[in-house]
Amino acid sequence: MPKHDMTRGQLGALDFLRAGQTSFFRLPVARPDGGPLDDALRGARAAILGVPWDGGVTIHPGARHAPFAVRQASVVLPGFGPDAGVDVFRFLRAVDAGNVAVTSLLPELAATTIESDVADIMRGGAAPFLVGGDHSITLPALRAVAKARGPVGLVHVDAHADTSDGSMWGGVSHHGTWLRQALSEGLVDGKRLIQIGLRGPWKDDEEHAVVHAAGGRIVTVDDFDAVGGAGVAELARRTVGDAATYLTIDVDAIDPAFAPGTGTPVAGGLTSREVLRLVRALARVQLVGMDVVELCPVLDVGGATALLAAHLLFEGLAIACQARAS
Ligand code: MN
Ligand code: MN
């Protein structure tokens, strides 16, 4: 990428073509040649970090390619957020923080490397916006966030509860166990936990009992239909309150008709319009970090799911503007 004024927001179309590189949203790249992340942020208040890790997937691998697919999909999105009323990228001095250097050849280093990069971003004064990767990346991200901010509120959008004890797959951690672990490690304030988009069939009621025992709320797709999107958003805002909150979006919460590019699809999910409206309605929530996970580009159709992931990220960044502006 050319030398770039970090306060300017996105590269213009012609500069982008000349540079020939695909960063998230045509943003400046914080560390084009590696190096320490916290030093590289230079005043950025939001850093978008790719996490090409799918070692936690149980069925269909491929989410490791998602950061690259979202970069490519995101170049068509301009920066002005109608609700935020500002150029979101310029306001946040947002940057592409590159990828976490994780590889399935060194699985034992994955979680600590992810945690360390997220911690560096926070130390640099920016909010981390992660693009997975499978959902197991949320656990190390929450470890870093909770270390800095204490137990956080959590808005968890997903078809699945992700509170498995891992027994189905031989008792190991995977993309369906991270929330159970996060609760047991005290990273999430159970009373400020809300899950949205869950739907059956599921193994048994035990996973949901874990959430209820922690004091969390579950909003199934049937609840969503009964209460309506605005009602669910209001419930989410009331649940997390005014304190630090993390937003995690598993793209399988969205119906496979809108988000086919994912490894564990479940029929009967939210529409893309519903989920985007839900995120927009979280404006003024004190968002300290966000991730979009479980996009599997090889299963995607025409890049629809990658584009939706880019839009979800954009709306999350727009919320971060409003939280800081209020
Ligand atoms: Mn899921
Ligand atoms: Mn999940």
Side-chain angles (χ1 to χ4, degrees):
M1 300 292 273
K3 246 185 141 31
H4 192 89
D5 175 0
M6 305 283 272
T7 65
R8 209 180 71 187
Q10 296 172 290
L11 276 182
L14 294 179
D15 288 337
F16 168 68
L17 286 174
R18 261 182 226 111
Q21 304 292 316
T22 313
S23 61
F24 287 117
F25 303 105
R26 287 179 272 125
L27 290 170
V29 176
R31 48 171 184 182
D33 43 13
L37 197 44
D38 45 350
D39 292 346
L41 295 175
R42 281 171 286 178
R45 291 188 290 176
I48 309 172
L49 181 69
V51 191
W53 173 256
D54 57 10
V57 162
T58 49
I59 306 279
H60 293 295
R64 72 179 66 178
H65 300 297
F68 305 97
V70 174
R71 283 189 177 91
Q72 199 170 1
S74 71
V75 298
V76 299
L77 270 70
F80 189 83
D83 289 2
V86 292
D87 183 301
V88 166
F89 302 120
R90 206 173 293 181
F91 186 87
L92 294 172
R93 302 161 69 109
V95 293
D96 182 329
N99 289 338
V100 182
V102 281
T103 152
S104 56
L105 302 174
L106 291 167
E108 64 280 10
L109 294 183
T112 50
T113 311
I114 296 165
E115 181 183 345
S116 150
D117 274 11
V118 175
D120 282 353
I121 286 173
M122 298 192 77
R123 198 174 309 117
F129 287 78
L130 280 61
V131 180
D134 71 59
H135 219 155
S136 68
I137 70 155
T138 303
L139 181 61
L142 286 173
R143 284 179 182 144
V145 172
K147 208 170 271 177
R149 305 296 299 258
V152 289
L154 185 68
V155 179
H156 172 203
V157 183
D158 203 323
H160 309 94
D162 290 353
T163 45
S164 165
D165 62 3
S167 58
M168 235 171 116
W169 292 86
V172 293
S173 299
H174 57 68
H175 65 164
T177 64
W178 64 271
L179 181 54
R180 190 187 193 104
Q181 291 169 272
L183 286 167
S184 75
E185 291 179 27
L187 312 175
V188 171
D189 177 354
K191 292 186 183 55
R192 296 201 300 118
L193 161 64
I194 184 166
Q195 299 187 295
I196 301 167
L198 274 61
R199 52 197 186 269
W202 47 68
K203 183 167 153 265
D204 52 38
D205 282 339
E206 198 265 341
E207 287 195 34
H208 294 214
V210 171
V211 176
H212 289 135
R217 291 174 188 270
I218 294 175
V219 178
T220 66
V221 283
D222 288 342
D223 298 333
F224 194 99
D225 286 342
V227 179
V232 172
E234 171 60 26
L235 184 62
R237 285 195 300 268
R238 265 194 283 127
T239 303
V240 298
D242 293 330
T245 296
Y246 190 90
L247 169 64
T248 180
I249 302 179
D250 180 331
V251 297
D252 69 27
I254 298 107
D255 194 276
F258 300 91
T262 194
T264 43
V266 184
L270 305 177
T271 68
S272 45
R273 205 160 63 200
E274 283 169 338
V275 74
L276 288 166
R277 193 178 291 147
L278 173 69
V279 178
R280 278 197 288 273
L282 298 177
R284 307 204 186 287
V285 162
Q286 293 306 311
L287 196 70
V288 291
M290 170 185 182
D291 62 50
V292 179
V293 296
E294 296 286 336
L295 163 64
C296 182
V298 74
L299 298 172
D300 206 1
V301 178
T305 318
L307 179 66
L308 176 56
H311 276 274
L312 288 165
L313 267 179
F314 179 84
E315 297 299 346
L317 289 158
I319 299 175
C321 293
Q322 295 179 79
R324 286 174 180 278
S326 62

